[in-house]
Amino acid sequence: MKTTLRTDITVEAVCAGFVYNQLEGKGLFGLGGKLTIQPEYQRNYIYADGGGKKEAAVIESLLKGYPLGLIYFNKVANDKFEVLDGQQRITSIGRFVTNKFAIMDNGNPKNFDSLPIDQQAKIRDSKLLIYECQGTQTEIKQWFETINIAGVPLNPQELLNAIYSGPFVTLAKADFSNSQNANIQMWSAYVKGSANRQEFLDRALDWVSKGDIGGYMSAHRNDTSINELKTYFNTVIDWVSTVFTDVLPEMRGLEWGRLYEEYHGTSYDPKKISGDVKRLAADPYISKRKGIFEFLLGGSTDAKLLEVRVFDTPAKRATYAMQTQTADGKGESNCPLCAIGHDTNKSRIYKLEEMDADHVAAWSKGGGSSSANCQMLCVTHNRAKGNR
């Protein structure tokens, strides 16, 4: 790959003809139409996230004369370029120069036009360090895979978008990576993440591909339709929202694609499921509320999904002391099950560390984890006992 260092290009030149698409959240063009700021393999603009601290920092750096670091342009034709590295910084500058956001100056918000003339000139006249790169498509893409932009590494889906860029990725990003998509709010009830960081697209691809995102993107790279992707994603979301009519915060980020594949062939009564969800969500002994949904889908049999809170140490000690005192008086084992047995342990007194706490009435049958429902069993009997 051939590179040429340019030190003569100013902010004013780069921002000539700057276009920012608010709907898609990306800078489109600059350098008088010669520069494509966000080619399809680039991530969405993210410097406005988190209150815009990163984009404000770019402008403050210019005003203080701090270097912004190297920027790389890919020369795609004679006098035609696309940003290979630096699109977040360039978009931040373009957005500020076109008054899309303000920075704070002594507690007062100021956009570009409200800055003093000398500060405006300092920004416009700032020169950028730009490498013009020329190489094959493979060389450019391989180089791009190694990029970390301003300390924000590309996440796995952003890298895959770069590797498999093409019409499929362009269409998929327009739908799943568009923060202005009206469906984002509904999807956010079940999918955790940000549209700008490709996390909705990542989930959609993970679900439809059964976990083989790279393979799916490779096979569909040149597709001019994303109907299969959209249909499968919407089918999963519709199934979840039909079975679980109550939306809880714990539903975000669950493996809904896997759960759909495992359970969508089973019929459920949404009204009964709703009552069970509310009951379990209010149960103080359940430590893992995220497990409620898979627990119910699986027929309420795998209590390990809920991490039901076990008895605390004071309850164990109190129960052990009471059982042991009673057993000593009767000359029998302090393990109730050993005491009614016929082996040599019938009169054995176990140490506390040789016993486990157990629910007298199983949690699954309404028993709680209070001292009143606690009994101490020897390790062997406790592990053998079913329906704990």
Side-chain angles (χ1 to χ4, degrees):
M1 186 168 67
K2 180 183 176 182
T3 59
T4 303
L5 180 62
R6 297 283 302 274
T7 60
D8 59 317
I9 301 177
T10 64
V11 163
E12 184 173 34
V14 169
C15 292
F18 176 81
V19 177
Y20 179 77
N21 187 316
Q22 184 68 38
L23 182 63
E24 297 182 16
K26 66 180 185 180
L28 297 178
F29 305 107
L31 207 61
K34 300 175 184 177
L35 178 67
T36 299
I37 296 175
Q38 191 182 106
E40 61 184 17
Y41 56 80
Q42 286 275 14
R43 74 167 100 212
N44 283 26
Y45 182 62
I46 63 171
Y47 272 24
D49 296 350
K53 292 181 180 178
K54 288 185 179 295
E55 60 182 1
V58 171
I59 305 307
E60 289 163 1
S61 294
L62 289 175
L63 289 171
K64 293 175 181 178
Y66 297 163
L68 292 182
L70 290 171
I71 293 172
Y72 291 82
F73 288 175
N74 176 29
K75 189 172 183 178
V76 295
N78 187 35
D79 227 17
K80 287 289 184 180
F81 307 90
E82 59 187 21
V83 177
L84 190 59
D85 183 16
Q87 67 103 348
Q88 300 288 331
R89 287 165 283 170
I90 289 175
T91 304
S92 296
I93 295 168
R95 276 171 42 83
F96 184 72
V97 169
T98 54
N99 298 298
K100 296 294 191 299
F101 72 94
I103 60 172
M104 298 303 293
D105 181 25
N106 294 321
N108 299 310
K110 289 188 177 180
N111 58 25
F112 182 79
D113 286 349
S114 64
L115 290 178
I117 298 299
D118 63 307
Q119 289 187 326
Q120 292 184 21
K122 186 168 186 176
I123 291 175
R124 283 196 303 264
D125 297 340
S126 294
K127 291 184 178 180
L128 303 173
L129 291 176
I130 298 172
Y131 269 110
E132 289 182 5
C133 305
Q134 285 181 278
T136 65
Q137 184 180 30
T138 299
E139 288 175 329
I140 295 298
K141 294 294 177 63
Q142 287 177 342
W143 190 89
F144 180 78
E145 287 181 55
T146 68
I147 292 175
N148 286 330
I149 301 178
V152 183
L154 296 172
N155 65 33
Q157 188 56 53
E158 289 168 334
L159 280 173
L160 288 172
N161 289 351
I163 295 168
Y164 300 111
S165 62
F168 179 81
V169 167
T170 299
L171 290 170
K173 287 179 66 177
D175 203 70
F176 291 97
S177 306
N178 179 2
S179 60
Q180 303 301 312
N181 187 328
N183 292 314
I184 291 292
Q185 183 175 2
M186 177 184 68
W187 295 346
S188 294
Y190 313 106
V191 178
K192 186 177 182 179
S194 160
N196 279 343
R197 293 308 307 272
Q198 311 303 311
E199 283 151 321
F200 289 95
L201 177 56
D202 172 82
R203 288 299 83 202
L205 288 165
D206 180 72
W207 294 354
V208 75
S209 70
K210 313 301 186 294
D212 184 15
I213 298 177
Y216 187 87
M217 293 181 73
S218 177
H220 295 272
R221 181 174 186 173
N222 296 312
D223 287 5
T224 57
S225 169
I226 60 169
N227 285 341
E228 180 182 69
L229 178 67
K230 291 175 64 175
T231 298
Y232 191 89
F233 182 81
N234 288 327
T235 298
V236 174
I237 295 295
D238 289 344
W239 172 76
V240 177
S241 60
T242 299
V243 175
F244 298 102
T245 56
D246 304 285
V247 178
L248 274 65
E250 290 81 5
M251 300 176 81
R252 292 189 71 205
L254 294 182
E255 298 177 60
W256 291 117
R258 175 181 64 81
L259 295 176
Y260 170 79
E261 286 296 323
E262 290 184 24
Y263 298 111
H264 77 273
T266 304
S267 62
Y268 300 95
D269 178 355
K271 185 175 181 179
K272 181 180 184 305
I273 289 289
S274 175
D276 289 341
V277 167
K278 292 174 181 176
R279 173 177 58 80
L280 293 172
D283 191 322
Y285 300 113
I286 290 178
S287 301
K288 188 178 179 182
R289 284 165 49 114
K290 277 184 171 291
I292 289 173
F293 311 97
E294 186 169 359
F295 175 75
L296 293 175
L297 290 172
S300 302
T301 58
D302 189 359
K304 293 191 295 295
L305 292 166
L306 304 175
E307 295 182 5
V308 178
R309 184 166 59 85
V310 296
F311 299 97
D312 57 27
T313 299
K316 293 178 184 178
R317 287 177 176 169
T319 302
Y320 173 81
M322 181 178 65
Q323 283 183 202
T324 302
Q325 182 180 22
T326 301
D328 274 336
K330 294 181 178 181
E332 61 186 26
S333 175
N334 57 350
C335 170
L337 297 185
C338 286
I340 60 175
H342 302 285
D343 58 21
T344 56
N345 292 327
K346 185 170 183 175
S347 59
R348 177 177 173 180
I349 299 297
Y350 291 90
K351 298 177 181 179
L352 176 61
E353 58 268 22
E354 295 175 319
M355 307 186 82
D356 285 336
D358 178 67
H359 293 83
V360 177
W363 173 85
S364 60
K365 295 182 179 179
S369 294
S370 63
S371 297
N373 192 43
C374 179
Q375 66 177 345
M376 300 298 291
L377 300 178
C378 69
V379 172
T380 300
H381 274 121
N382 195 48
R383 291 178 180 174
K385 185 181 176 186
N387 196 19
R388 297 176 59 183

